[in-house]
Amino acid sequence: MGTRPLITVALILFASVVGLKMEAAPFIVDVNTDKAMYSPGIGATIYVDLTNSTGSTFNGSVKMVISHLGHVCTSLPSQTVSNLGANSTTTAVFSWMPSGTNYQGYMISVNVTDQTSNVLDSGSSAIDVSSDWSKFPRYGYVAQYGSSLDPYHTMWLLKNYHINGIQFYDWQWKHHIPYNSNSTWPDVANRTIYRSTVTNYIAAAHTYNMMTMNYNSYGMAYANYQTDGSGVALSMGIFSGSPASITNQLNYSLPASWATTNLYELNDRDTNWQNYIYGREQDVFSNFAFDGWHIDTVGQHTAYDYSGNFFSLDDYNPQFINNAKTALGKRLTFNTVDSGGENQVAQGANVDFIYSELWSGNANYNDFNNRVNNVRSYCSKALVMPAYMDTGLSTGYFNSPGILLADAAMFACGGAHLELGDGNEMLNNDYFPKDSNVLMTSSLAATLHVYYDFLVGYENLLRGDTVSANNAVIISQVATSTNGSAGTVWTISKKTLGYDIIHLVNFLNSTSTAWNDYNGTCPAPTTLSNLAIRMYYTGSIGGGKLWYVSPDANYGVATQLSYSTGSDSVGNFINFTVPQLQYWDMIWLEINGATGATNQIQAENYDSMSGIGTEATSDM
């Protein structure tokens, strides 16, 4: 089985991008890379898949520029396309060796030109140079394990969104006995799980440099746990009162057709339970090449133990996690449901990143920012937020405006969204195998492809060491807010070493602040043009450049803007004009001597790419 599947209909769906290119793409089907991320010193292979849809034979070139935070790193030698017949396909293959700097994001910009250098088509991808996924995690999932699946193709599709870690949801046998030595076994929903599919998924993910996380709860047991010979005892449980008994053991009811009627909850601080489940998880790691354990919870925060002591499970989650790290030596993530226990995990748990599944306690767009800011107040770890969209829908298609506004808001605030899995699926509820009945349109899938390029290409401004700032933003004749209010443009102020950053998220047509878009009715924003903006800043500009970029225009290629400077009673400011705001814009100002350039090429070389980016002179 090859490591690069043939182009399929699923990939061809990426050809038309909402808000980016409304007409049918004449050439570029997809731009993608051979890995989800790269360690420093590892070369990247970049594929540009082409189909000639012009109706006549084509001769021309494919040109590629790689940039970092607006500044060009390199213009790769162009690839010649000769005598490509109508409806014929080919792939232009590029190779690039990034600099040795770790934890860097790069944008890939592609143009197809004719023999007179006229640009006929454009596209994008991105490269994450990171030795460890935990710095910039982009988490996806698989939840289907049938015998007819193509694991390499599934992982290839997820890799094309730059997903660098996979949660293997409900792959296991019983929650309290996750490993089964047979070739097949029933999961909790009585679905047949094929060992060969799980194994091949893991191998495929590793081929594309993705981490693989074995999903299981920290403490759940089937209803027959006391009689199945497992060794799990009632004394390991948690209870709603005292004295303890099976009748008041906290539990989670399941559908009648499933493998158990209930899942009974166990005690995270009980050393007997800890030692038991660590041993069972070791059975998993001894027989499957998983990289880590994704530890799930059901959001239970307080309970009585077997001896009648009332306690907070949240306070003991770090102990449970850290003991698991010692016992297993594997990567760990832990679900702080609706941010309950998030503080304790952020302060003291040895997890790769913080994982907070959001519900009604964090229902609004501004809660994305609250969660990121809260985590950053305790640690420097990244935050991934499962946030289930359009949950009122059971069939049909996701509402694209609601999805794009939620992702724009979450990415702008500094988080990542667990939403994509099983190749080209999206979640709309917390039981992952159920989601195939609500689908992404081809245009939404294509647009998200560009949004995830953007998330990677500008990761050093969106995530990493970036924190919230208090720099004021004024937009002439447009209602604004600093909390994501409906009917406004949300201005989000951020900063990182050498840069002041603002994000503009367009909620002017929105009537709700809830990100969930329950019934899929969130309206598309009206595109705004030529916005006059005053941005206050801190630090010294010197010769710093001002950059504008959007995933909704020009395939996420940054453009340098002219600006003027001034000061008033509020502080120092710059005035400038943003050419367009559809869903989301990002603007950053280089301050205190930052250049953003790793290997900067002269601006005239950049301009020679015939439309990929523009550098202008600052008006000081």
Side-chain angles (χ1 to χ4, degrees), residues 34-235:
D34 62 329
K35 306 288 184 184
M37 64 179 184
Y38 300 84
S39 294
I42 302 299
T45 301
I46 307 156
Y47 305 106
V48 183
D49 297 321
L50 305 170
T51 296
N52 181 5
S53 302
T54 64
S56 59
T57 299
F58 172 71
N59 291 282
S61 299
V62 181
K63 299 182 179 182
M64 184 174 292
V65 160
I66 297 177
S67 60
H68 175 68
L69 305 187
H71 294 270
V72 173
C73 299
T74 188
S75 175
L76 296 177
S78 62
Q79 301 278 333
T80 300
V81 179
S82 299
N83 298 316
L84 184 63
N87 301 315
S88 297
T89 63
T90 191
T91 297
V93 181
F94 294 79
S95 297
W96 181 57
M97 177 61 72
S99 75
T101 306
N102 205 1
Y103 302 118
Q104 298 287 294
Y106 299 91
M107 280 299 299
I108 300 170
S109 304
V110 178
N111 276 342
V112 176
T113 64
D114 62 19
Q115 291 176 304
T116 58
S117 296
N118 294 313
V119 177
L120 304 178
D121 202 1
S122 299
S124 69
S125 189
I127 288 176
D128 175 14
V129 177
S130 294
S131 59
D132 194 293
W133 79 312
S134 63
K135 182 74 170 178
F136 301 114
R138 297 174 297 278
Y139 209 12
Y141 70 90
V142 290
Q144 305 294 334
Y145 307 97
S147 60
S148 62
L149 296 172
D150 183 346
Y152 279 83
H153 183 65
T154 296
M155 292 301 176
W156 176 264
L157 292 173
L158 291 172
K159 180 269 303 173
N160 289 349
Y161 290 103
H162 313 287
I163 299 300
N164 60 1
I166 303 294
Q167 179 186 147
F168 283 62
Y169 185 95
D170 270 7
W171 72 276
Q172 79 277 30
W173 183 32
K174 298 181 178 182
H175 287 65
H176 67 293
I177 315 176
Y179 177 67
N180 187 306
S181 61
N182 296 330
S183 59
T184 65
W185 56 87
D187 78 342
V188 68
N190 271 324
R191 300 182 308 153
T192 299
I193 308 299
Y194 285 80
R195 183 188 193 92
S196 59
T197 302
V198 176
T199 300
N200 288 334
Y201 268 144
I202 295 170
H206 287 161
T207 296
Y208 304 133
N209 205 17
M210 301 170 171
M211 300 296 289
T212 57
M213 302 297 287
N214 139 48
Y215 170 95
N216 195 17
S217 169
Y218 88 88
M220 288 287 194
Y222 277 27
N224 65 342
Y225 74 83
Q226 294 185 84
T227 59
D228 67 355
S230 64
V232 180
L234 184 69
S235 61

Side-chain angles (χ1 to χ4, degrees), residues 141 143 169 357-359 386-399 403 417-422 424-440 444 515-520:
Y141 70 90
Y169 185 95
E357 181 184 65
L358 302 188
W359 291 95
Y388 308 117
M389 301 296 300
D390 297 4
T391 52
L393 303 180
S394 58
T395 60
Y397 294 94
F398 286 98
N399 178 40
I403 301 298
H417 194 179
L418 178 81
E419 58 180 340
L420 300 172
D422 282 333
N424 211 33
E425 300 291 339
M426 174 176 280
L427 292 172
N428 90 317
N429 65 80
D430 59 325
Y431 180 58
F432 293 10
K434 184 179 179 181
D435 289 306
S436 59
N437 291 328
V438 182
L439 306 174
M440 288 192 288
L444 175 58
W515 49 259
N516 171 259
D517 191 20
Y518 182 80
N519 289 316

